[in-house]
């Protein structure tokens, strides 16, 4: 009896199914998934892989996307230049090339805590103070941060980078940081869009960037309970690839899934494109370990629900590196879907599309992803269509356009599109597709086909690359998001757009801003709305200031319309001014009380949230 019980407990702790061996190199060592010198693979001053980018030759009227990683790779985009010139005022006469590098001698000299370094050597944890490694971990992906990399540098960057390879390594580093009064800023994928990774300029203590990406193992998979225990530094694409070997997935697909880390998802309360059926990160989370200055915080069991006071997981979710380092996470996992199908529906106007989205949520229809794009994004999507590979394609497109605009009477300047992704058993997917299409017809929609749905879904992964090209021609662009009740979706979208246009006039912008929005996630009581904004900064003496003033005005309008300060990007530093308004003075005090107890020496002094 005792032996049986011990066996049960062992399976519970270690998972019901042992993991396969990880790939090993010729020396028998486990191959790293992410190189320590990340800048050798991804851009140091922009988004994504070094071999993937939009390239323009405006003299030849050609823009194309390089590389073979994405479906758009090595294809010409014949309409993109015309769109950029017409909508954004882009001109070949104005070109702002990024600096080639930031030289080591320009970067801040590291502050050194010799006692900390001596202890670090004893525990044999890898580290470096190499300038370019420090620079790479000094920022995230906000527009301001990338502009600084292109045009200047940062006044404060980490003094040291450490690479722990396990939970126990992190425990040692945090102990040493407390002992020697050193600051720790956790670093995962580096995709933050809230300024969360920037070093506070006034910090005079040694700052250590604790890079978690060498902690990237799946420790166990429990096929009976559909859970997996995973180190927090693993990147999204690697996590899904490894789980797929066992016939499972998490279903969590944020736009940054290729580059963002599991720990980062938890630390920002992330959401993904397929949350309809898989949930947000808080819905997937079964168990989490976090190393704090006071020790390790975690629950004593891995159960679907527990009633024992306020949920400590919700102290950790969204903590943005202010309380400790997330080291290990147990997630709910799902069998890989048997069948996938894409779809798309065009509607005569945005109002009809919103009504459709509301009804989809009300009827509890569950496509993996359903997203509504306004007319500006619809036109933008057409501009990103690659050159036709068949002589028949342009002819067919003309016929489709004729049918939609002339026969059905859609106004091409008002129409919008919904893209769909359905996953599950084949019969369930086909049944759901019929219901979704029937509902689309009810609200005046027309099926736009599977290929358009697939292309729209996959474009998500390349849109972020456009900002780097936009910078080259003086266009500053960024996205921001919110969540809002259903009855305020339309008013919020229109009011935010109008507010930005008014502010643009006040600041004397030479061209009207590009403003676009889409409904990306649906809930019973509301939706997530994503905004895209781009401004042509030619002639502006301080373009960063102007852009940030416009975005701040947009955020003020969002809150005035009943929207949230953020749906999933988090607070970081750039949205701190709205935190008290969002959670109340008492709520902010509660956050600070937790911070004071958990981190009395302010080791995790990144300046985010309540700090």
């Amino acid at each position: 009896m005792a032996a049986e019980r011990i066996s049960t407990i062992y399976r519970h702790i270690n998972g019901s199914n042992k993991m396969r061996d990880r790939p090993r190199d010729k020396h028998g060592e486990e191959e790293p998934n992410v190189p320590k010198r990340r800048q050798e693979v991804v851009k140091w001053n922009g988004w994504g892989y070094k071999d993937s980018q939009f390239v323009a030759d405006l003299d030849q009227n050609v823009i194309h996307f390089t590389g073979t990683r994405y479906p758009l790779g090595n294809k010409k985009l014949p309409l993109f230049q015309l769109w950029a010139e017409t909508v954004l005022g882009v001109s070949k006469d104005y070109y702002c090339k990024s600096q080639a590098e930031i030289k080591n001698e320009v970067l801040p000299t590291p502050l050194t805590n010799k006692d900390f370094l001596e202890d670090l050597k004893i525990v044999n944890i890898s580290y470096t103070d190499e300038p370019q490694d420090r620079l790479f971990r000094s920022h995230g992906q906000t527009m301001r941060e990338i502009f600084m990399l292109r045009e200047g540098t940062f006044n404060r960057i980490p003094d040291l980078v450490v690479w722990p390879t396990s939970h126990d390594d992190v425990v040692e580093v945090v102990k040493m940081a407390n002992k020697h009064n050193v600051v720790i800023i956790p670093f995962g994928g580096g995709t933050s869009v809230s300024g969360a990774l920037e070093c506070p300029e006034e910090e005079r203590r040694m700052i250590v960037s604790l890079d978690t990406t060498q902690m990237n193992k799946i420790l166990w998979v429990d096929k009976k309970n559909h859970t997996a225990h995973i180190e927090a530094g693993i990147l999204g694409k690697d996590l899904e690839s490894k789980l797929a070997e066992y016939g499972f997935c998490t279903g969590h697909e944020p736009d940054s899934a290729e580059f963002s880390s599991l720990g980062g998802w938890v630390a920002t309360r992330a959401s993904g494109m397929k949350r309809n059926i898989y949930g947000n990160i808080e819905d997937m989370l079964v168990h989490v370990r976090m190393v704090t200055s006071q020790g390790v915080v975690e629950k004593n069991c891995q159960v679907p629900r527990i009633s024992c006071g306020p949920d400590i997981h919700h102290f950790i979710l969204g903590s943005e590196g202010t309380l400790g380092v997330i080291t290990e996470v147990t997630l709910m996992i799902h069998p890989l879907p048997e069948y996938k199908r894409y779809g798309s529906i065009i509607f005569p106007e945005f109002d009809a599309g919103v009504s459709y989205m509301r009804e989809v949520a009300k009827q509890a229809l569950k496509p993996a992803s359903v997203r509504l794009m306004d007319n500006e994004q619809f036109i933008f999507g057409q501009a990103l269509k690659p050159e036709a590979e068949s002589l028949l394609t342009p002819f067919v497109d003309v016929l489709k356009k004729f049918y939609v605009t002339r026969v059905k009477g859609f106004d091409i300047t008002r129409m919008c599109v919904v893209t769909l992704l359905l996953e599950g058993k084949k019969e369930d997917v086909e049944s759901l597709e019929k219901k979704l299409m029937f509902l689309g017809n009810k609200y005046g929609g027309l099926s736009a086909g599977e290929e358009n749905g697939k292309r729209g879904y996959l474009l998500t992964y390349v849109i972020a690359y456009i900002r780097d090209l936009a910078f080259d021609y003086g266009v500053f662009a960024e996205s921001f998001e919110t969540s809002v009740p259903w009855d305020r979706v339309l008013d919020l979208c229109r009011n935010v757009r109008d507010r930005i246009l008014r502010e643009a006039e006040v600041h004397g912008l030479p061209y009207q801003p590009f403003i676009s929005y889409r409904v990306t996630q649906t809930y019973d009581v509301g939706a997530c709305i994503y905004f895209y904004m781009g401004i042509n900064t030619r002639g502006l003496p301080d373009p960063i200031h102007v852009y940030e003033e416009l975005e701040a005005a947009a955020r003020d309008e969002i809150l005035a319309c009943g929207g949230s300060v953020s749906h999933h990007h988090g607070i970081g530093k750039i949205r701190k001014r709205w935190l008290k308004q969002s959670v109340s003075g008492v709520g902010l005090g509660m956050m600070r009380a937790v911070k004071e107890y958990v981190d009395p020496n302010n080791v995790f002094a990144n300046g985010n949230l309540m700090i």
Side-chain angles (χ1 to χ4, degrees):
M1 233 6 227
E4 183 180 343
R5 186 178 178 199
I6 291 172
S7 176
T8 300
I9 294 172
Y10 181 83
R11 287 198 308 272
H12 176 71
I13 295 172
N14 294 284
S16 300
N17 304 86
K18 291 183 179 180
M19 297 295 298
R20 303 173 188 173
D21 289 336
R22 299 180 70 211
R24 295 178 180 271
D25 65 16
K26 62 183 179 180
H27 302 295
E29 297 295 326
E30 292 178 345
E31 294 180 355
N33 293 298
V34 180
K36 291 180 179 178
R37 291 187 60 81
R38 306 266 288 278
Q39 59 271 32
E40 294 177 356
V41 178
V42 297
K43 298 184 187 76
W44 69 273
N45 63 345
W47 176 264
Y49 296 108
K50 293 173 70 173
D51 58 10
S52 302
Q53 60 183 322
F54 285 93
V55 176
D57 184 345
L58 300 192
D59 289 326
Q60 298 298 318
N61 297 321
V62 173
I63 296 178
H64 69 279
F65 191 76
T66 65
T68 59
R69 296 178 185 271
Y70 305 94
L72 209 59
N74 289 327
K75 292 181 180 177
K76 296 179 180 178
L77 309 171
L79 302 176
F80 192 11
Q81 180 174 337
L82 177 61
W83 178 87
E85 291 172 344
T86 304
V87 176
L88 298 172
V90 166
S91 170
K92 63 183 178 183
D93 298 325
Y94 188 85
Y95 185 70
C96 312
K97 186 176 178 63
S98 169
Q99 61 183 337
E101 63 177 335
I102 300 179
K103 296 184 180 298
N104 290 349
E105 54 266 27
V106 176
L107 294 171
T109 302
L111 302 176
T112 301
N113 185 310
K114 293 182 180 179
D115 293 334
F116 178 85
L117 288 176
E118 286 299 318
D119 279 1
L120 197 58
K121 292 174 184 176
I122 293 171
V123 295
N124 197 29
I125 295 172
S126 179
Y127 68 90
T128 184
D129 63 358
E130 197 280 325
Q132 296 302 316
D133 288 332
R134 293 162 50 222
L135 174 65
F136 189 87
R137 292 158 181 84
S138 66
H139 63 87
Q141 287 288 331
T142 66
M143 184 269 301
R144 168 184 277 274
E145 289 167 318
I146 300 305
F147 179 79
M148 291 299 296
L149 291 170
R150 291 172 60 94
E151 303 289 333
T153 187
F154 295 97
N155 294 325
R156 190 75 168 92
I157 67 174
D159 303 301
L160 196 74
V161 179
V162 301
W163 288 283
T165 60
S166 68
H167 168 83
D168 290 341
D169 280 357
V170 175
V171 171
E172 290 299 323
V173 173
V174 173
K175 283 181 181 177
M176 289 185 290
N178 271 280
K179 177 181 176 182
H180 300 297
N181 197 25
V182 167
V183 172
I184 293 176
I185 298 181
F187 186 93
T191 60
S192 165
V193 287
S194 66
L197 296 172
E198 285 191 72
C199 297
E201 290 189 15
E202 68 280 3
E203 182 57 69
R204 303 322 304 157
R205 294 175 291 175
M206 182 182 185
I207 298 178
V208 172
S209 175
L210 190 150
D211 188 322
T212 62
T213 55
Q214 304 308 299
M215 298 166 51
N216 53 42
K217 297 183 289 295
I218 297 178
L219 299 175
W220 50 254
V221 171
D222 186 333
K223 294 183 177 180
K224 291 184 178 179
N225 292 313
H226 282 195
T227 54
H229 193 61
I230 310 147
E231 290 183 314
I234 195 168
L235 301 188
K237 65 180 179 61
D238 296 327
L239 173 57
E240 295 301 335
S241 175
K242 290 179 179 181
L243 282 177
E245 296 178 15
Y246 304 94
F248 286 93
C249 67
T250 68
H252 189 65
E253 282 190 15
D255 294 1
S256 62
E258 297 168 283
F259 308 107
S260 55
S261 69
L262 172 58
W265 298 347
V266 175
T268 56
R269 295 182 66 90
S271 180
M273 292 185 281
K274 299 194 292 188
R275 72 124 241 127
N276 271 359
I277 58 176
Y278 298 108
N280 293 318
I281 193 65
E282 65 268 22
D283 304 310
M284 306 174 186
L285 188 70
V286 177
H287 188 265
V288 59
R289 302 182 85 185
M290 184 170 75
V291 180
T292 77
S293 295
Q294 297 280 36
V296 178
V297 58
E298 63 180 322
K299 295 180 182 178
N300 75 325
C301 56
Q302 299 188 20
V303 293
R305 190 173 187 273
I306 184 170
S307 178
C308 59
D311 192 339
I312 62 168
H313 284 177
H314 288 281
F315 292 131
I316 299 171
L317 284 154
S319 56
E320 298 187 12
T322 61
L323 303 179
V325 184
I326 296 163
T327 58
E328 296 176 7
V329 179
T330 304
L331 290 181
M332 175 170 55
I333 57 175
H334 305 266
L336 287 169
E338 298 174 10
Y339 187 68
K340 287 188 179 185
R341 188 166 178 85
Y342 295 90
S344 59
I345 305 171
I346 52 174
F347 290 92
E349 59 184 5
F350 191 69
D351 295 39
V354 171
S355 296
Y356 171 79
M357 297 285 279
R358 176 67 187 104
E359 194 63 28
V360 168
K362 189 184 294 184
Q363 293 191 21
L365 303 177
K366 295 291 184 182
S369 172
V370 53
R371 299 187 293 174
L372 168 66
M373 279 148 276
D374 72 351
N375 182 257
E376 283 75 13
Q377 276 194 48
F378 172 75
I379 299 298
F380 178 51
Q382 301 307 301
L384 289 177
K385 275 193 171 182
E387 193 172 52
E389 296 178 353
S390 166
L391 292 175
L392 282 175
T393 302
F395 178 69
V396 172
D397 286 344
V398 168
L399 288 179
K400 289 178 180 177
K401 182 178 178 181
F402 177 82
Y403 175 74
V404 171
T405 59
R406 298 293 182 85
V407 177
K408 301 300 291 185
F410 282 30
D411 182 348
I412 200 166
T413 65
R414 291 175 59 83
M415 58 198 287
C416 63
V417 63
V418 164
T419 59
L420 297 160
L421 170 61
L422 288 67
E423 293 185 354
K425 294 182 179 179
K426 189 172 187 293
E427 59 270 25
D428 294 338
V429 166
E430 290 174 344
S431 173
L432 177 58
E433 183 180 38
K434 290 178 182 178
K435 294 177 183 177
L436 291 166
M437 293 303 170
F438 176 81
L439 197 60
N441 291 336
K442 177 181 175 182
Y443 288 96
L446 291 172
S447 172
E450 182 173 17
E451 190 56 36
N452 281 323
K454 183 176 183 180
R455 194 175 70 86
Y457 189 84
L458 297 179
L459 270 178
T460 300
Y461 295 111
V462 300
I463 284 177
Y465 285 91
I466 293 174
R467 185 175 65 179
D468 297 333
L469 177 65
F471 267 131
D472 290 342
Y473 293 93
V475 174
F476 287 13
E478 188 76 282
S479 65
F480 51 93
E481 37 64 71
T482 185
S483 50
V484 65
W486 279 113
D487 63 349
R488 301 184 186 183
V489 168
L490 289 172
D491 286 343
L492 185 144
C493 289
R494 290 166 181 157
N495 290 353
V496 170
R497 176 184 174 84
D498 291 346
R499 178 71 179 272
I500 292 172
L501 293 176
R502 292 198 305 272
E503 294 291 329
E505 286 187 13
V506 171
H507 288 281
L509 262 65
Y511 296 90
Q512 180 172 297
F514 169 72
I515 310 161
S516 176
Y517 38 80
R518 68 185 186 196
V519 179
T520 59
Q521 282 109 321
T522 61
Y523 299 84
D524 292 343
V525 298
C528 170
I529 303 172
Y530 237 100
F531 288 90
Y532 289 93
M533 180 173 70
I535 64 171
N536 191 318
T537 65
R538 272 205 318 269
L540 295 178
D542 189 351
I544 286 283
H545 173 73
V546 172
Y547 189 96
E548 291 180 342
E549 285 289 298
L550 263 62
E551 186 173 334
R555 186 65 59 186
D556 284 337
E557 191 65 34
I558 285 171
L559 268 64
C561 292
S564 67
V565 66
S566 176
H567 173 263
H568 59 270
H569 283 168
I571 298 296
K573 299 176 184 66
I574 66 174
R575 284 178 277 277
K576 281 178 69 171
R577 72 178 88 170
W578 296 284
L579 183 57
K580 182 177 179 180
Q581 181 181 349
S582 298
V583 302
S584 78
V586 174
L588 183 57
M590 291 170 69
M591 291 183 184
R592 287 174 173 163
V594 172
K595 167 71 176 176
E596 185 176 344
Y597 171 75
V598 172
D599 188 23
N601 299 320
N602 198 21
V603 164
F604 296 96
N606 56 17
N608 297 337
L609 279 173
M610 79 297 279
I611 301 176

